[in-house]
Amino acid sequence: MIANHPVERADALVVGAGIAGLQAALDLADQGFQVVIVERQPSIGGHMINLSKVFPTLDCASCITTPRMASTAHHPNIQVFTYSEVDSIRPVGDRFQATITRKPRYIDEDKCIGCKRCEEACTLYLPDEYDHSLGAKKAVSIPFTNAIPQYPVLDMDECFLCGGCARACPTDAIDYMQKPETFQLEVGAVILATGYDMTPMDAKSQYGGGKLPNVISPWQAERLLAPHGPYGGVLRPSDGKIPDSIAFVQCAGSRDASLGVPYCSRVCCMYAIKQAMLLSGSLPIADITIYYMDIRAFGKGYEQFYQSAKAMGIEFVKAKVGRIREDEEHNPILRIERQEGDSAPEEVRHDLVILSLGMVPAWIPDRDGIVPLQTGSDRFLLSPKPRISPTLTTLPGVFACGAATGPKDIVDTIVEAGAAAMQAAAHLQRTLAGAAK
Amino acid sequence: MAEETAKKTNRALEQLKQLRSERAEENKKKAERQKEQNRLQKAVLDALGDGERTVPEIAEAAGIDTQTALWWVTALRKYNKVETAGKRGDYPTYRRK
Ligand SMILES: Cc1cc2nc3c(=O)[nH]c(=O)nc-3n(C[C@H](O)[C@H](O)[C@H](O)COP(=O)(O)OP(=O)(O)OC[C@H]3O[C@@H](n4cnc5c(N)ncnc54)[C@H](O)[C@@H]3O)c2cc1C
């Protein structure tokens, strides 16, 4: 259920409602445990709901994620707090005391019926985070069509107080003075499913430092490819041209100690291949090139996926990309050094370039002592027994899963979420049995 | 119920009155931005006129850069004021809805 009012006690707290958090919560709730989910975004779904299709099956991401989001939101044993932050989690005996803050949407959730009239009435356009700023939203808006819950968020930092939304709202749900609400929750176990973020686009000045309009992030590429993407098709951001030559730059944020990301982000080869295949489907005559160091196609069916991409005519060039600049028409120009043969560095022009950025943890709970546990040198959550119990953390009773423990694909995320739910269930049974003695 | 609704609307309007006086300076700047947005939006819609145009054509007619023109076409498309019409060369064309 979508929760609009504080809850005092539950069996388990799941932090993060990406595919990992949804799966872990459902697995616990189906066993009869009472679960509270805290998600900091206005909607559940995490990054997966933002993707176009998923490798290696090319199933529609939203078609897989939306039913799970709906099952979670309607489960009688789950209470979902969105647009909420965990301020701290403290062990108290066998249990945990969590402090949670609900951020103000400036909407009375009890009254809002999700009719969107406020959004229609609003006149102020802002960059839309959901479309990674390629598209626009209104200053009061529901985050995206299949968002759960269907509550708008009013951006009071940007709003210029015209009052249009309040006048349009048929249920008087606009509350310009809503305040954050903090409450305490006591639980027996915690699952951290806080996922990943990406290295910023401006991290590498040699790749344009985020200033070249036609050098985009892989998340932006996902949105361009999505059926309801911002442009209604694949266009380049500088001028709306249909690109004829598109390149991917692999390891543009991973395996790079200078960025603090010496590790491989594991999924970039596969999502670049997926995006290249989808691009080639929407733009059949476009040239698509992937510049790579080596291709890591580790999962079931992944090697075949890679081979299919090659057979489709996607060009794989083993080369290091040293620099990216643009010409006067904003065409990105890549300075590449091929790793096969002994040719000299060369410059290649493309219409659109996608940087395969590195994956980093979205949340570092030991920073500022929010949760007293340890993270690894890569800052992902650390298991004391990574080989045999990857979902443990250094704090007994707190478990972790999905991209919060390290870069991983959806399949591995779901498997790990199930494992974390089992560990949490066993912990709850043990502590309940202990308390009964 | 109707009475209660009227009372609550008054509450929102009361809140607005208070916030407008508390944030007068800051709000002036924000209102300027809204004016600029209105100007850009009108320029893009005027540039489309009754015809079908590409983003570079809209940008030229509106006197703005192509990136800004695309952003506005995208925004107006999302909120049903503009639609994709067809294609000219390497560019989709747009028209008013
Ligand atoms: C461009 C791209 C394309 C991809 N394509 C594929 C694909 O085709 N197939 C595939 O298998 N994998 C793909 N992946 C990988 C896939 O996105 C991840 O495997 C998956 O999303 C991980 O899910 P998660 O729930 O662990 O993390 P996330 O999706 O990151 O979800 C974590 C959630 O936790 C929330 N959160 C974070 N911190 C807090 C906090 N402090 N409090 C409350 N909530 C918090 C976040 O807001 C988010 O909703 C792709 C990745 C990228 C970058």
Side-chain angles (χ1 to χ4, degrees):
Chain A
M1 317 288 277
I2 298 299
N4 293 334
H5 298 284
V7 172
E8 285 176 6
R9 222 179 129 88
D11 294 316
L13 165 66
V14 175
V15 186
I19 192 64
L22 296 177
Q23 187 65 48
L26 284 169
D27 285 352
L28 277 172
D30 284 346
Q31 295 177 62
F33 292 106
Q34 297 296 318
V35 182
V36 165
I37 299 184
V38 175
E39 165 57 54
R40 69 178 170 194
Q41 294 298 328
S43 172
I44 57 175
H47 288 115
M48 192 175 165
I49 190 67
N50 241 348
L51 302 178
S52 52
K53 296 192 174 176
V54 291
F55 62 74
T57 50
L58 296 185
D59 289 319
C60 151
S62 143
C63 311
I64 307 173
T65 322
T66 312
R68 245 168 247 215
M69 290 162 65
S71 309
T72 307
H74 294 122
H75 203 296
N77 294 342
I78 302 179
Q79 303 273 336
V80 184
F81 288 92
T82 51
Y83 211 42
S84 301
E85 295 277 351
V86 172
D87 303 326
S88 70
I89 298 173
R90 295 270 167 272
V92 181
D94 270 352
R95 295 180 68 82
F96 297 91
Q97 186 78 28
T99 308
I100 295 157
T101 298
R102 297 179 65 217
K103 296 181 275 190
R105 285 185 161 93
Y106 302 100
I107 301 290
D108 184 336
E109 287 102 337
D110 286 337
K111 293 200 194 112
C112 178
I113 53 170
C115 67
K116 279 189 149 195
R117 285 203 211 155
C118 53
E119 185 167 346
E120 283 157 20
C122 180
T123 53
L124 184 64
Y125 291 83
L126 300 172
D128 186 354
E129 309 86 3
Y130 177 69
D131 277 333
H132 298 280
S133 298
L134 293 174
K137 64 170 191 179
K138 299 281 190 78
V140 56
S141 53
I142 293 179
F144 51 93
T145 319
N146 47 349
I148 296 182
Q150 284 276 303
Y151 296 140
V153 177
L154 168 57
D155 188 335
M156 280 300 279
D157 290 337
E158 304 291 346
C159 172
F160 71 106
L161 307 172
C162 76
C165 54
R167 282 190 295 274
C169 178
T171 60
D172 289 299
I174 305 288
D175 180 356
Y176 294 104
M177 292 199 170
Q178 198 172 47
K179 298 273 179 284
E181 185 184 9
T182 298
F183 67 97
Q184 305 287 323
L185 169 73
E186 191 207 312
V187 290
V190 177
I191 295 183
L192 300 178
T194 46
Y196 70 97
D197 214 332
M198 304 213 87
T199 50
M201 281 293 284
D202 60 6
K204 274 175 103 83
S205 58
Q206 60 273 42
Y207 287 175
K211 295 202 180 82
L212 311 182
N214 294 325
V215 176
I216 63 170
S217 75
W219 276 332
Q220 288 177 315
E222 289 288 333
R223 297 310 303 148
L224 290 185
L225 287 161
H228 301 290
Y231 302 153
V234 180
L235 306 177
R236 62 182 207 165
S238 72
D239 58 0
K241 182 183 166 191
I242 302 165
D244 195 35
S245 164
I246 305 166
F248 290 81
V249 177
Q250 296 309 102
C251 301
S254 314
R255 303 167 76 190
D256 185 340
S258 72
L259 297 181
V261 186
Y263 51 86
C264 164
S265 291
R266 294 185 87 217
V267 291
C268 323
C269 288
M270 293 310 296
Y271 70 61
I273 294 172
K274 169 190 75 175
Q275 292 181 353
M277 284 168 104
L278 295 173
L279 282 168
S280 135
S282 3
L283 309 171
I285 52 169
D287 292 326
I288 302 168
T289 310
I290 298 184
Y291 296 103
Y292 71 100
M293 293 212 251
D294 42 43
I295 293 291
R296 298 186 171 180
F298 57 91
K300 186 171 176 178
Y302 291 8
E303 177 63 21
Q304 291 92 312
F305 194 67
Y306 170 37
Q307 295 305 333
S308 310
K310 282 207 232 171
M312 279 173 81
I314 289 151
E315 204 186 341
F316 288 81
V317 177
K318 192 168 171 68
K320 275 191 186 156
V321 177
R323 194 157 46 96
I324 307 177
R325 61 183 180 88
E326 62 175 17
D327 65 13
E328 58 291 345
E329 282 163 0
H330 297 296
N331 297 306
I333 298 173
L334 276 56
R335 187 175 173 80
I336 66 162
E337 208 176 302
R338 290 179 192 267
Q339 302 295 294
E340 284 164 340
D342 54 359
S343 54
E346 57 188 291
E347 291 208 316
V348 198
R349 194 194 69 93
H350 294 282
D351 289 335
L352 182 68
V353 166
I354 297 143
L355 298 182
S356 289
L357 302 171
M359 278 167 101
V360 292
W363 194 47
I364 305 175
D366 59 338
R367 192 161 52 198
D368 306 324
I370 297 172
V371 194
L373 46 65
Q374 279 173 34
T375 50
S377 58
D378 57 6
R379 289 162 298 145
F380 287 98
L381 295 171
L382 185 73
S383 166
K385 298 180 187 168
R387 300 278 167 265
I388 52 166
S389 295
T391 62
L392 296 186
T393 69
T394 51
L395 188 59
V398 177
F399 306 90
C401 59
T405 66
K408 59 179 64 69
D409 63 3
I410 292 163
V411 176
D412 287 356
T413 294
I414 289 177
V415 170
E416 210 173 74
M422 275 313 290
Q423 297 266 12
H427 175 85
L428 285 167
Q429 300 288 11
R430 262 195 314 272
T431 48
L432 287 175
K437 270 188 199 158
Chain B
M1 180 69 191
E3 213 174 89
E4 196 183 316
T5 303
K7 212 164 43 193
K8 302 266 168 62
T9 310
N10 283 342
R11 189 198 61 175
L13 297 179
E14 283 303 313
Q15 289 182 336
L16 273 178
K17 220 193 268 171
Q18 187 185 330
L19 287 171
R20 278 180 192 146
S21 81
E22 280 171 17
R23 302 182 185 180
E25 261 322 291
E26 175 195 340
N27 225 36
K28 227 187 258 169
K29 274 191 217 134
K30 288 184 183 168
E32 280 307 314
R33 186 173 66 166
Q34 176 70 65
K35 269 192 206 148
E36 175 61 5
Q37 286 207 351
N38 293 347
R39 187 188 71 76
L40 287 168
Q41 206 179 131
K42 182 168 180 312
V44 167
L45 290 171
D46 287 350
L48 282 168
D50 294 330
E52 293 179 9
R53 288 181 189 249
T54 65
V55 164
E57 288 165 357
I58 296 166
E60 198 183 334
I64 56 179
D65 64 77
T66 49
Q67 203 174 342
T68 308
L70 175 61
W71 196 80
W72 276 101
V73 166
T74 306
L76 296 171
R77 220 180 132 265
K78 176 169 173 183
Y79 288 101
N80 285 322
K81 292 185 185 167
V82 163
E83 65 186 354
T84 307
K87 199 178 146 197
R88 192 150 50 235
D90 287 337
Y91 293 88
T93 56
Y94 303 92
R95 65 172 161 243
R96 290 176 77 146
K97 236 178 158 177

